[in-house]
Amino acid sequence: MRRGPRRFPVLLLAAFAAVVLVLSSCAQIPRSGPVGKSKEESAGNLNVPDFFPPPPQPGAGPETVIEDFYGAGSGYADDYAVARQYLTQSLSVSWKSDKRTLVYRKAQVVPTSVENEFRYELDLAYAVDADGVATHYPEGTLESIPVTVEQVDGEWRMSQVPDGTAIPEQTFRVIYGAYPIYFYDPGFDYAVPDYRWFIKKKTVKAMTSALLAGPAPYLRGAVVSAFPSGIRLVRESVPVVSGAAQVDLSAKELVEASAEDRQRMQNQLLLTFRTQPDVISVQLRADQDLVRVEDTGAVLPPVLEKSVPARQIVVSNGELARYENNRLTPLPDMQPVAGLGPQEPAESPASKSVAFLNGSGSTLYSMLPGQEPRPLTTRSTLTRPSFSLQDWVWTAGPGANGGTQVVAFKPSAAAKGGAVPAVSLTPRWLAGRSVKEFRVSREGTRALVISELRGRTSIQVTGIVRNPDGSPRGLTSPVTLEASNGVDHGVWVNSATVVVMKASASGNVAPELVPLTTGLPQQLPAWPGLTGLSAGNGGDEIYGQSAAGLFQRVGNGWELQLKGPIDPAFPG
């Protein structure tokens, strides 16, 4: 029995600001330091302690054998050789250890009414599939594993048990690490991280297999891969020789790929292996033969972190204004809008479009330089507008029948006086939910969604699926992040992290940095009366708004920047 599954890919915060250097046949990851020794398989983090679980003890009862078998799940050496000793001979051959990893807070063996049949009951914390995609479960989620035992030469052995291992949460965090594998936005311009959990000493091969298998469920349709469907590893390892990861792929798909696609494949692997200190470069091989990857000049390395400009759009004295270098200036060539009571403005990162809500928060307006403000939609409530890099402006609110809708418009694509391209989406997972925040990620493939249902808040990330012309087509089933209940504000900090908070004009407010991982949120210093959030490039550029003015996060506190302007937002 399970309750409240939360699927999401995972990793600790990794902020990258370099570009990939591609060479002709062996692309390299820029690093200083020695290349290192040759080895058949990258060992990953060599400082991880090894676990040596005991083998079966003579005379042990069924319950002890079951407990010790799962205790041996920490001993992954030689394909869980110790754990296999607890199984009958036939099961030890067929049991697939890497099918899944169940991570529990506590566990117990429970007898059943059937002789020699038991249940191993877990308070399930995480489940990690064969590709490293993790699902988080709240405390109290029960997982019941059926186990059958029999006697072999007078000793109890397990004759039936599902594939996979189960380990305590404390052990899991020692053995496993969270790492990014990378995919592309549909235009191959930006790298999109997809966070997975792998055994720290077996990362390179696991990363490669996961990459070839495709993105995590919440990113499917929103991102693309340079690797064609059906391509596979032809060896059971990815040797790292003199710092070069030798990725041996099925020949047909690799040889038939275009020179540009092979270069994108190599770039994708380079990005994915950046966290591996013993990998300096990547070689593509077709059935062990080196495949030359030529730089045609047509492929640029993808941008790892899409940065935002240093300026913010704000409301100052009832008009839209620009806040930059601690100064306020008028927005260039924009009409006055004070009569509309503008609030919650947004500025496009791709054009000169701006958008804002009216004083009641019920109508979304857009505006282009030299043009009058234009109403786009009216609802009982709307979320703050958010522009994507593709120049669509997004908001969410109740539809005509009361159901939750997410809508997007592209004002810059409309002829003067013509209709604005518009898309309305009604994802099933938002049914009945009240959306508090909808913020598109910097590269435009994902959105942060904060919503509420019956007093419980969910902080989720969904993938944005687009048509070939770039227009939005749908939102994927989201992943759920961890943070305190009641959150109603959130923004992207970079490609790997969001910052969220529950606004309060009277109490102390402590925003939380939430990584797109199963890691715990990091609480930022509390400050009285925070009612708004904005974030630039990284954790040092987080701003909070209160009645006292605009504050910037500085170390373990907040520092006043300017009094007067409200509702700040970086482009996006």
Side-chain angles (χ1 to χ4, degrees), residues 344 383-386 435-442 447-451 457-461 481 483 486-493 497-503 511-514 531-535 542-543 568-569 572:
E344 308 287 5
T383 62
R384 180 172 193 153
S386 175
V435 180
K436 306 296 183 182
E437 195 85 87
F438 189 99
R439 295 293 186 102
V440 181
S441 63
R442 307 283 169 81
L448 167 67
V449 184
I450 299 175
S451 63
T457 299
S458 291
I459 304 168
Q460 298 174 303
V461 176
L481 309 181
V487 166
D488 53 13
H489 284 64
V491 293
W492 291 89
V493 175
T497 313
V498 298
V499 59
V500 300
M501 75 175 191
K502 180 175 176 58
E512 293 179 313
L513 282 174
V514 185
T531 57
L533 270 179
S534 62
I542 296 175
Y543 289 77

Side-chain angles (χ1 to χ4, degrees), residues 194-207:
D194 181 353
Y195 301 105
R196 308 291 181 93
W197 285 96
F198 302 118
I199 292 175
K200 294 176 182 177
K201 286 193 175 182
K202 295 185 175 183
T203 47
V204 171
K205 196 274 183 177
M207 284 177 163

Side-chain angles (χ1 to χ4, degrees), residues 356-358 360-366 374-383 385 393-400 405-409 420 422-424:
F356 58 91
L357 302 181
N358 66 347
S360 63
S362 59
T363 299
L364 172 68
Y365 286 86
S366 68
R374 182 172 189 166
L376 298 178
T377 186
T378 297
R379 313 283 171 112
S380 58
T381 61
L382 288 168
T383 62
V393 60
W394 296 74
T395 186
Q405 287 186 330
V406 177
V407 290
F409 305 87
V420 176
V423 173
S424 179

Side-chain angles (χ1 to χ4, degrees), residues 206-229:
M207 284 177 163
T208 307
S209 296
L211 193 64
L212 297 181
Y218 92 105
L219 286 175
R220 289 174 191 162
V223 299
V224 297
S225 176
F227 294 93
S229 176

Side-chain angles (χ1 to χ4, degrees), residues 43-59:
N45 189 343
L46 297 177
N47 295 321
V48 179
D50 289 312
F51 286 78
F52 300 100
Q57 300 302 304

Side-chain angles (χ1 to χ4, degrees), residues 237-280:
S237 66
V238 177
V240 179
V241 181
S242 296
Q246 299 179 352
V247 182
D248 202 355
L249 300 167
S250 46
K252 181 178 184 295
E253 291 84 0
L254 183 58
V255 172
E256 291 180 355
S258 67
E260 289 79 12
D261 281 342
R262 283 197 293 269
Q263 195 170 352
R264 290 190 176 110
M265 293 179 201
Q266 197 172 56
N267 285 351
Q268 201 170 345
L269 286 165
L270 280 169
L271 293 173
T272 295
F273 293 156
R274 287 179 66 88
T275 58
Q276 304 306 297
D278 55 340
V279 179
I280 306 298

